[in-house]
Amino acid sequence: MLGGRLAAALGAARDGAAGIESFAHLLGSRRVGPRGVALALPEVCEGCAALLAALGSLSAAVRDGFVEAGDAAAADAACAALDHASVEVARLTDELSRAAAGAAPGRPAPRGAGRGERGGSERGIDARQRLALEASVRRAARELSGSLRLSELVMATLDLRPTPLDLIDVLRNWSAAAAEGRPAVAISVASSDGRANEVEGDVRAVSGLLELAVGMVSAAGVASPHLSVSLLPDGRSTVRIAERSARDAAPAVALNVVVRDGGERAVAVARVVARRARIELAEGTDGRAVTMTF
């Protein structure tokens, strides 16, 4: 069944990404010496190879899923994110392989030697190499996290589950926790009519779109986005994210949110998710404003 196939491939990709994240923590730990890093390198290389295979399987499952749904554009958006992840993992695999070769045993370990004795024969890597490797691994972990998140957002539209939502509650549920290598921005939120906050939608699609829209205007140079919620004459709700103007209502909520995505892949995902979730998405010509109508 395709649903199970997607779930299995996604689970394998998440496990591989978690392994890279764990290795980044190991590299940053003062309790792990150079020989410990050297011992871990071959296993991490194997994990990267498995992750590349998992990303390929996930991409194929996503492609098949949206072919069945008759939406090639959605498949393209999700697979572009997964392709980017594969490029990052391939790059990291090459660096790890070279590091593993450089940290190979300086002399053969005695036959029957235990793990600790084998570790004693490792040259390990020096501090400079370790710092460079840690930076590379952390970069890969960030890119993987962002790419998987984008692809999962598109995948969620295969099974949309609309429920009554309060937009302000959705905004408050955003995580303000710091994310490795991701900037945080302060956004102000104003609502001119409490009824405008109440919409019907899939919480994954709505919250994901709001985050992507903040990333889009931030990437265009809006340092502190202002999000205004209002009610249209036809009863629909509209959300506009842009710089605050003098005529905007006073902020009702102030939030700090992590900007995770704002590039072309994120924009493509935002357009696909909005279309499939039946949310009108309008982008300003300069990219500094995004409007969503529910």
Side-chain angles (χ1 to χ4, degrees), residues 114-137:
R115 184 181 179 91
E117 291 173 275
R118 290 198 301 273
S121 69
E122 299 286 350
R123 291 202 303 270
I125 60 175
D126 62 33
R128 181 177 57 81
Q129 292 171 317
R130 181 169 180 165
L131 285 172
L133 191 59
E134 181 184 355
S136 181
V137 173

Side-chain angles (χ1 to χ4, degrees), residues 21 45 56 59-60 90 106 129 139 152 155 184 192 224-225 257 267:
E21 187 72 40
C45 286
S59 184
Q129 292 171 317
R139 167 187 157 182
E152 286 183 65
M155 282 182 246
S192 59
S224 298
V257 299
V267 173

Side-chain angles (χ1 to χ4, degrees), residues 17 20-21 23-25 27 84-92 95 98 131-147 180-182 265:
I20 290 178
E21 187 72 40
F23 187 54
H25 291 310
L27 287 167
H84 176 70
S86 294
V87 169
E88 276 296 309
V89 175
R91 175 196 62 78
L92 181 63
E95 291 191 22
R98 284 187 276 110
L131 285 172
L133 191 59
E134 181 184 355
S136 181
V137 173
R138 290 193 182 279
R139 167 187 157 182
R142 284 195 305 272
E143 296 300 318
L144 267 171
S145 174
S147 295
E180 185 83 31
R182 304 287 189 188
R265 286 182 297 275

Side-chain angles (χ1 to χ4, degrees), residues 164-174 189 191 193-202 206-207 210 227-230 236-240 253 255 279 292-294:
L165 301 173
D166 185 299
L167 287 172
I168 301 299
D169 286 345
V170 172
L171 293 169
R172 284 197 175 105
N173 286 333
W174 279 3
V189 183
S191 177
D193 188 330
R195 294 173 299 168
N197 303 337
E198 300 170 3
V199 302
E200 185 90 5
D202 183 285
V206 173
S207 60
L210 288 170
L227 189 151
S228 57
V229 186
S230 57
R236 293 183 299 164
S237 297
T238 185
V239 174
R240 185 174 186 272
V253 179
L255 301 168
I279 298 170
M292 289 172 284
T293 304
F294 298 85

Side-chain angles (χ1 to χ4, degrees), residues 231-258:
L231 196 66
L232 296 177
D234 62 6
R236 293 183 299 164
S237 297
T238 185
V239 174
R240 185 174 186 272
I241 304 173
E243 289 181 300
R244 188 182 175 202
S245 67
R247 63 178 180 275
D248 283 326
V253 179
L255 301 168
N256 288 318
V257 299
V258 173

